[in-house]
Amino acid sequence: MSEQPNHSEDRQTMASSFFDVLWPLILDENLCRIESKSEEFFVPKQTFNRLEWHKYLAQVGYPFYITPLELRCCKGALMEEIENQEAEKALNQEVEERKGPAQGDFLRCGSQAIRPIDKKVDDLRIEHERRQKLAYDFANRKFPWTMQTPSHELGFTITEELEKCFKGPMELALLQSIHDHDCKLMVIDLSVEVDIKDCQRWIKFRPYIQLLGLVRTPRMERSLQLLNVFHTLFVEESVENSWDEELHCSLRTAFLHAQKIQLLKSCGEPFVFVFSRMRGICTCDSFKILRRA
């Protein structure tokens, strides 16, 4: 059999003298050598000696570039600067000379500059009428000058956003009736068993109508007054009266009280009467729009 060549013997290795002497020289002569240094911003090591590009970067507003100073030591450069200044002054003078005749075409002069007397009289009359109207509105105001008109007297429009706020039973139908009949007062009949928590749902109606609560206990009257939303009227129930008789008595008493404190400005104004057929369970399962004939 033929002997296989021994490749391990043909391998040649570099001696330590190559890495100690020759390899450092190769690295020093290598022009593409890259030096890395961890810095937050790039700092160039070579100066930027292109003056025209430096001036361009300064003109376009590039940060940290300042317009270079040009040192003019020859007489020709000084004369050129003086000529530029004179040309600029001549241009400004020409613009001023043209501005006068151009504006004269739009300005009235002579008889045209006199305002017509009828136009002046009309302006004075309009100003006088405006002042008279302001004085009349101030003298006949219903509220102090610093107060705005109450929101329930301004009227309102039922929108989709407003409908989303009245999701309870009969609330949207009640609001629609208030809007259609232009009611200014809502009388709410409260029984003895009704809690103050059940009355809080009527607060959302306050921007659109006045609220008058008929209460049967002093504690309930005090609780409603603390809400600072309701007008209250204390009414005593009689055991001898039927539910229908007691309801009519409460309604008559509330109507007279509303006229007394001027919640109803006239006897023919419509108002809402809210009552419950299931007394003691809730404050509202029925309502009626009433108007005194």
Side-chain angles (χ1 to χ4, degrees):
M1 292 180 63
S2 60
E3 296 182 357
Q4 296 291 335
N6 189 3
H7 294 286
S8 59
E9 297 179 357
D10 296 338
R11 295 177 181 177
Q12 296 181 0
T13 59
M14 295 184 180
S16 60
S17 59
F18 171 79
F19 293 100
D20 296 337
V21 181
L22 186 58
W23 183 245
L25 295 177
I26 295 176
L27 294 179
D28 292 337
E29 295 296 331
N30 186 10
L31 300 178
C32 298
R33 185 178 180 182
I34 299 176
E35 295 181 359
S36 60
K37 187 177 181 181
S38 60
E39 294 182 355
E40 185 177 2
F41 301 100
F42 173 73
V43 180
K45 295 183 178 180
Q46 295 182 358
T47 58
F48 186 70
N49 55 1
R50 300 293 299 272
L51 185 61
E52 61 276 9
W53 287 105
H54 188 95
K55 185 176 181 180
Y56 170 75
L57 294 175
Q59 289 176 352
V60 299
Y62 200 85
F64 307 114
Y65 278 89
I66 305 176
T67 306
L69 299 176
E70 297 182 0
L71 301 178
R72 298 184 176 182
C73 56
C74 60
K75 190 175 181 180
L78 183 60
M79 293 298 295
E80 182 181 358
E81 185 176 356
I82 295 175
E83 291 176 357
N84 293 335
Q85 293 178 358
E86 292 179 353
E88 185 177 357
K89 291 180 180 179
L91 180 61
N92 294 336
Q93 184 177 359
E94 184 179 358
V95 171
E96 292 294 334
E97 291 176 354
R98 292 183 179 181
K99 185 185 298 184
Q103 291 181 349
D105 296 339
F106 299 97
L107 298 178
R108 294 183 177 182
C109 58
S111 60
Q112 294 182 352
I114 302 175
R115 296 185 61 187
I117 189 65
D118 55 347
K119 177 65 175 175
K120 183 66 175 178
V121 171
D122 290 341
D123 293 343
L124 292 176
R125 179 180 54 79
I126 294 173
E127 182 67 19
H128 180 66
E129 291 177 355
R130 188 180 70 85
R131 292 179 180 274
Q132 277 189 333
K133 184 178 183 303
L134 290 175
Y136 177 82
D137 294 341
F138 177 77
N140 295 275
R141 67 193 186 277
K142 299 179 181 179
F143 302 94
W145 193 250
T146 55
M147 292 178 59
Q148 296 181 353
T149 304
S151 58
H152 65 270
E153 292 192 3
L154 296 176
F156 62 97
T157 303
I158 298 180
T159 60
E160 295 182 0
E161 291 76 9
L162 189 59
E163 291 178 356
K164 296 178 181 178
C165 300
F166 294 85
K167 297 181 179 180
M170 302 176 62
E171 288 184 353
L172 186 58
L174 180 57
L175 183 68
Q176 186 68 47
S177 300
I178 293 172
H179 176 267
D180 295 341
H181 297 277
D182 194 20
C183 299
K184 306 298 182 184
L185 174 65
M186 179 190 297
V187 179
I188 305 175
D189 183 63
L190 303 175
S191 62
V192 180
E193 295 83 1
V194 173
D195 192 9
I196 186 64
K197 294 181 179 180
D198 190 74
C199 298
Q200 292 180 351
R201 60 175 175 152
W202 300 109
I203 297 177
K204 66 178 71 174
F205 287 89
R206 180 58 187 89
Y208 314 106
I209 196 169
Q210 295 268 29
L211 302 178
L212 175 60
L214 302 179
V215 295
R216 265 69 183 183
T217 60
R219 181 178 181 181
M220 188 64 178
E221 183 181 16
R222 179 59 177 168
S223 300
L224 283 183
Q225 290 176 352
L226 290 176
L227 293 178
N228 198 23
V229 172
F230 293 82
H231 297 277
T232 58
L233 177 62
F234 181 74
V235 180
E236 293 184 357
E237 287 188 348
S238 177
V239 182
E240 299 177 355
N241 294 337
S242 64
W243 175 83
D244 186 67
E245 292 175 347
E246 192 67 34
L247 193 65
H248 279 79
C249 181
S250 299
L251 179 59
R252 189 182 308 109
T253 306
F255 179 78
L256 295 176
H257 181 72
Q259 282 189 322
K260 182 179 179 180
I261 63 176
Q262 296 184 352
L263 295 179
L264 291 175
K265 297 180 181 179
S266 64
C267 59
E269 277 189 327
F271 65 96
V272 186
F273 184 58
V274 178
F275 59 97
S276 175
R277 299 184 183 275
M278 304 295 292
R279 299 178 66 83
I281 298 178
C282 62
T283 59
C284 172
D285 61 13
S286 302
F287 71 91
K288 296 292 182 181
I289 306 296
L290 302 176
R291 179 188 290 109
R292 183 173 182 179

